[in-house]
Amino acid sequence: MEYPRTGSMHCPFEGGAVSLRWHEWGPASGKPVVCVHGLTRNGRDFDVLAQALAAQGRRVICPDIPGRGISGWLPAGMLYAVPTYVAVLTPLLAELGDYDWVGTSMGGLIGMGLVSLPFDRLGRMVLNDIGPFIPEAALARIRDYLSHSPPRFANLAAVEAHLRLVHAPFGSLSDAQWRHMAEHSARMTADGAMHLHYDPRIVEPMQAGPLSDVDLWALWDWTVSRPLLVLRGEHSDLLTAETAARMDQHGNTTLATIKGCGHAPALMAADQVKLIVDFLAG
């Protein structure tokens, strides 16, 4: 098994700076693919996909968005928002030049934010179970889940049991894949307890006021100005069938529904990986 390299960069944003860290696969000379995870996840979710893309000669960069994994935490909870993430990623992306993008949920929203910028050099784009419209009810479900006190775990087996429950919509994963996810989803504190590997303050922007539908259709013309693959979990409440069908009306868009999944497909199954590898190969 190939093991990833790690990289880091001190990245500014309005009001401060933070350490951005990532795992990287494949030849340094390969055309970059940036893979960005969902709200509470981290870049190691892409290990299976990254190795498949690296085998095709691609340089695959999987950042931990600030507040998650091995990246630094932001100084205030209200900073955990897409504009901050776009600002933090911009120095890394500027060094890459032309690149492709795979974004799961929040990672897809960040990608949609990037394509509206004048210096955008993003080529092919994969949106995993996310689109320009998110229903209020789905946001409320996520907010309510995150608003509970973050659980403490006695050991890695307890972490894995928790992830199997809360991330069941990811689809059918092998025992080894669940264990891999658990190993990279928790950190141990000085008291010997294990905690999920994200800053619990990431929920604060969702708690700041009444929720409403997120409507980003104004960004859609920029988003579909490049080849686009949209993956939708068959039972997803975040990317509804109606929104996916509207996204699919543009000629640059390819829509694939992933059976047996909700929000969001884990991108570890061979058929899901093949969809993305083939799409990014053009």
Side-chain angles (χ1 to χ4, degrees):
M1 174 181 176
E2 181 185 354
Y3 289 89
R5 307 180 296 277
T6 57
S8 66
M9 180 179 288
H10 198 60
C11 297
F13 59 91
E14 186 174 354
V18 68
S19 176
L20 177 71
R21 298 186 177 95
W22 61 87
H23 291 91
E24 182 175 334
W25 308 77
S29 60
K31 182 180 178 182
V33 182
V34 181
C35 300
V36 181
H37 57 80
L39 182 64
T40 65
R41 301 300 310 148
N42 61 78
R44 297 305 297 268
D45 284 1
F46 294 105
D47 279 11
V48 175
L49 174 63
Q51 290 181 78
L53 289 168
Q56 303 298 313
R58 302 299 298 266
R59 178 187 179 191
V60 189
I61 297 171
C62 305
D64 287 348
I65 296 301
R68 292 86 170 172
I70 60 174
S71 284
W73 289 12
L74 297 176
M78 289 302 294
L79 291 170
Y80 287 114
V82 168
T84 304
Y85 306 146
V86 169
V88 167
L89 286 168
T90 295
L92 170 63
L93 301 177
E95 287 193 359
L96 296 181
D98 296 331
Y99 63 95
D100 293 331
W101 186 271
V102 179
T104 292
S105 192
M106 179 188 75
L109 294 176
I110 296 170
M112 283 190 276
L114 286 165
V115 299
S116 65
L117 300 178
F119 54 79
D120 164 48
R121 298 182 68 176
L122 192 158
R124 290 178 171 264
M125 187 175 192
V126 179
L127 295 178
N128 182 24
D129 212 62
I130 193 67
F133 184 85
I134 306 173
E136 176 188 340
L139 295 172
R141 173 182 61 78
I142 295 169
R143 179 202 59 197
D144 293 347
Y145 157 65
L146 288 176
S147 294
H148 291 96
S149 297
R152 293 159 48 96
F153 305 96
N155 51 45
L156 192 62
V159 174
E160 181 180 332
H162 174 78
L163 295 179
R164 284 176 179 260
L165 177 65
V166 300
H167 292 318
F170 283 8
S172 179
L173 276 65
S174 69
D175 289 346
Q177 288 169 340
W178 282 117
R179 177 50 60 100
H180 172 87
M181 187 176 292
E183 289 171 347
H184 297 289
S185 295
R187 68 187 192 282
M188 184 174 289
T189 51
D191 60 1
M194 303 192 79
H195 299 261
L196 295 178
H197 213 342
Y198 61 82
D199 183 348
R201 298 176 303 162
I202 62 174
V203 70
E204 289 186 12
M206 303 179 76
Q207 296 171 326
L211 293 175
S212 60
D213 297 337
V214 172
D215 189 335
L216 302 175
W217 285 112
L219 296 178
W220 195 236
D221 285 345
W222 282 303
T223 305
V224 294
S225 64
R226 69 216 68 235
L228 184 67
L229 172 63
V230 177
L231 305 180
R232 176 181 182 266
E234 178 185 16
H235 307 297
S236 176
D237 64 339
L238 212 76
L239 177 56
T240 66
E242 293 77 13
T243 298
R246 181 175 170 184
M247 294 165 72
D248 194 33
Q249 291 175 2
H250 196 283
N252 276 353
T253 304
T254 301
L255 172 65
T257 299
I258 308 300
K259 300 294 185 182
C261 294
H263 181 75
L267 308 186
M268 295 182 184
D271 57 341
Q272 297 171 31
V273 170
K274 186 176 188 303
L275 276 172
I276 296 172
V277 170
D278 289 350
F279 169 77
L280 292 180

